[in-house]
Amino acid sequence: MEAHLRAGLAIFNAGEHHAAHDAWEEYWLELESGTDDERMLHGLIQYTAAVYHARNDNWSGATGLAESAREYLSGLPATYHGVDVATVREYLDDLHTEPAIAANKSPLSLTHEGKIVTLADLDFEATCIAAAVLAEEHEYDEPMIDRAITFARTDIDAERTGSPFVTLLFDFVREPDDRPVIAQRLSEHVSRRTSKEADVEGLFERREE
């Protein structure tokens, strides 16, 4: 859960309010309804949506989602899974009561273990989750990014040092201004690796004949 949680927090804190929920949603859908974990993620998903609507002057959407987010987060400890739930609830109270005022302020940054989580703070697994989310949000080649993640995981498992897939995935997530160039470099590496694997597979098939 922690990788999904931290990925979503970092994406939100980077200003990607609409995309943040995608880091949590797949994991959240697998949880039993009504459990504390499910309520927390559901509440955070609703919170990010409320902020997104408020930033786009959709006051009715913002207040409705703020109210439902408060309900999901009610009853949870002040800090849960390292997230400062109490402060989130306070912000939701303000957003529900005065959405226009709350929207004009910087959105509440989400913390984990007392620290604001940034994209640069994410470990490998959380970075993979964030890469897939950001690729979808910004309409990059999702199958290519998924393939790059697969190759990166293979290299990590094989303890291959200097994997370009690992390095470029971290860069793709952490360097938004350079993302188009990084995506192109990833695509080139994916094409080369895919061709190489196809050549090796063809060689084995010919030997078996």
Side-chain angles (χ1 to χ4, degrees):
M1 177 175 177
E2 183 168 313
H4 287 270
L5 178 61
R6 287 178 62 82
L9 299 178
I11 291 169
F12 180 87
N13 290 337
E16 303 272 6
H17 306 134
H18 179 265
H21 78 277
D22 285 329
W24 302 318
E25 194 165 76
E26 183 178 359
Y27 188 90
W28 162 66
L29 289 171
E30 297 298 321
L31 296 174
E32 182 181 351
S33 179
T35 61
D36 285 352
D37 284 1
E38 188 271 340
R39 288 173 62 83
M40 183 189 73
L41 289 182
H42 204 164
L44 289 177
I45 288 168
Q46 297 283 291
Y47 164 72
T48 60
V51 170
Y52 175 77
H53 283 299
R55 302 292 282 181
N56 288 279
D57 299 337
N58 180 359
W59 311 126
S60 61
T63 55
L65 287 163
E67 183 176 8
S68 62
R70 289 190 305 172
E71 292 174 358
Y72 287 119
L73 296 176
S74 66
L76 294 179
T79 301
Y80 188 70
H81 279 294
V83 177
D84 185 356
V85 175
T87 302
V88 174
R89 285 193 293 244
E90 291 173 7
Y91 186 88
L92 286 167
D93 288 340
D94 293 340
L95 189 59
H96 181 259
T97 305
E98 297 288 349
I101 295 175
N104 287 329
K105 301 177 183 177
S106 296
L108 173 70
S109 295
L110 298 173
T111 63
H112 185 250
E113 305 294 351
K115 179 183 177 182
I116 295 173
V117 185
T118 70
L119 294 171
D121 295 323
L122 300 181
D123 64 12
F124 174 69
E125 283 302 323
T127 294
C128 289
I129 294 166
V133 169
L134 293 169
E136 179 181 5
E137 179 69 12
H138 296 288
E139 299 183 343
Y140 286 94
D141 185 344
E142 293 177 61
M144 182 275 292
I145 294 294
D146 289 341
R147 190 73 170 155
I149 290 170
T150 298
F151 288 143
R153 288 198 168 112
T154 298
D155 289 350
I156 289 285
D157 290 341
E159 298 182 352
R160 293 177 184 142
T161 59
S163 168
F165 299 102
V166 175
T167 300
L168 289 171
L169 281 170
F170 274 111
D171 291 343
F172 180 79
V173 168
R174 296 176 176 182
E175 306 293 339
D177 292 340
D178 297 329
R179 208 167 273 156
V181 174
I182 295 165
Q184 179 59 38
R185 290 179 63 194
L186 268 172
S187 179
E188 292 166 0
H189 281 285
V190 167
S191 294
R192 284 198 290 269
R193 180 77 160 260
T194 301
S195 296
K196 182 178 179 180
E197 290 190 350
D199 289 343
V200 171
E201 184 178 345
L203 178 61
F204 278 119
E205 287 177 352
R206 288 194 295 273
R207 285 180 176 176
E208 289 175 356
E209 292 175 356

